[in-house]
Amino acid sequence: MNKRYTIKDIAELSGFSFKTVSRVINNEPNVNPRTKEKILKVIEETNFKPNLFAKNLHSKTVKTILISLRKIHGQNTTQWFDVLMSHMFQDAGSRDYTIIQEVIYDDNDLENSIMAQSSGFIDVVVLFYLQENDKRIEVAQRNHIPYIAFEKKKQVSVSISNNNRQGILQAAEFLFERKLTRICFLLGAEIEVNFEREGAMKEAYARHQIPQDHLETVFHMNNLEKIRNFVSARIAENRLPHVFFVSGDEKAIAIYNAVYSHGLSIPQDVSVFGFDNIPISQYYSPPLTTMGQDFERLSKELYGIIDKILTNDPNVASIQVEPRLIVRESVRALSD
C-alpha cells in the first residue's frame, strides 16, 4: 500500500516549515518562487493530496477547537458529555468558533488523529478523560497546539472542571442527615477525578466521625451489565447498603434494573443517588436524586478560558464550577 503523505511529511522532505508548505498548498502570495517550486516538486513526487477539510478550515476566519475524547472499548456512552457538547455547539456560532470532535481508544489511534494530521489548523484542543502520561499531551506539545483539560489534572496547567470535592461533600451531608451512612460508592476508571470524589467522600465520613468501614468504594463500574451484575450479587448475598451512589446518572438505570428484577423497591429497600443531572434522570421511576452539573456555565467558562489562550492573556487560569443538589424521590430517610 502506498504511503499516505501528510503536510508534515512534505515539510520534512522539502526542508521547509509546516507553515510555508501550508501557504504553498493554499496558493498564498509572498512565497519565494524557488521555494514554491521545490515544494510543488515534492508534492508531485509523493502524489500528495491535500486534506480539503483542513484546507477549508485554514481559509476561514473562525477558530477551530478540537474536542479529544478518550474512551475504552465497551464503555457506555457518557450522556453528560453529550449534554455539555450541546451547550458548546450552541455557544460556538456567536463566538466564531468551529468545533470538531474526535474519539481516541488507544495510543495507536493518535498517528492518524486529527490532532496529529491537521495540527496547523487546530487552534486549541480540549482533552477529556486524561490518563496518566497521556500521549495526547505529547502530540499537542509536539505540534504546538495549546491544550486544556476537562477536570483537574496534575500534568495540565489549565483546566475547567466541576468542584467535585464540594459536590461530594454536599451529597454526603444530604445523605447523612437522613441517617443513610452505609454507602456503596460506584465509580468508573481509576483516574484523577474519581480519586478526588473518593477522597471527598472519605473526608465527609471523617468530619461526621462515621466509621470508614460504612463506606464501600468500587472502581471500574463503567459498564451497565457490570453494574447490574454487581448489584444483583449484593442483593442475593443480602448485603444491601443504605444507598448506591453511582458516578454517572445513566449508570443508575442498571441499579434500578437489578433492584426491580429481584422484586425490591426504590427507595423503600435501597436508595439510589447519581451524579450529573442528565435530562433523562428526572424520568426514571422514581426520579433520580443527583448532584447536577451546571452545563451552561461550564460551556461559557470553557470558552472564556479559550478566549484568553488565543489572545495570549497572561491571566488565564483554571476554573471550577459549583454543582448543585437535585432532590427527587430515589432517596428516603431512615426512621429512628
Side-chain angles (χ1 to χ4, degrees), residues 107-147:
D107 291 338
N108 293 329
D109 297 333
L110 283 172
E111 181 180 352
N112 296 312
S113 67
I114 294 173
M115 196 190 318
Q117 298 291 337
S118 303
S119 58
F121 310 102
I122 302 300
D123 296 289
V124 178
V125 61
V126 184
L127 302 170
F128 284 77
Y129 293 121
L130 274 163
Q131 295 180 338
E132 193 73 26
N133 301 316
D134 199 303
K135 290 191 179 298
R136 289 177 296 168
I137 294 176
E138 180 183 317
V139 172
Q141 291 173 336
R142 185 170 64 243
N143 290 286
H144 307 290
I145 307 173
Y147 58 91

Side-chain angles (χ1 to χ4, degrees), residues 182-184 216 230-244 255 258-259 262 264-265 268-271:
R182 294 191 177 275
I183 299 173
C184 185
E216 180 185 16
F230 174 85
V231 174
S232 291
R234 288 305 166 91
I235 295 171
E237 296 164 1
N238 196 27
R239 294 174 57 202
L240 275 179
H242 293 151
V243 186
F244 282 113
I255 300 174
V259 171
H262 285 79
L264 302 179
S265 299
Q268 288 78 13
D269 294 303
V270 64
S271 293

Side-chain angles (χ1 to χ4, degrees), residues 11-26:
E12 291 175 3
L13 290 170
S14 66
F16 295 99
S17 69
F18 182 102
K19 188 171 291 187
T20 300
V21 172
S22 177
R23 290 173 62 196
V24 170
I25 291 172
N26 288 283

Side-chain angles (χ1 to χ4, degrees), residues 167 170-171 173-175 178 273 289-292 323-327:
Q170 186 179 355
E173 192 74 31
F174 170 81
L175 294 172
R178 286 151 183 79
F273 196 107
T289 297
T290 184
M291 186 56 62
R324 64 189 183 94
L325 179 64
I326 309 296
V327 179

Side-chain angles (χ1 to χ4, degrees), residues 13 42 52 64 71 96 113 126 181 183 250 273 304 318 332:
L13 290 170
V42 173
L52 295 179
T64 303
K71 296 180 68 175
D96 291 328
S113 67
V126 184
T181 60
I183 299 173
E250 73 274 11
F273 196 107
S318 298
R332 74 180 182 99

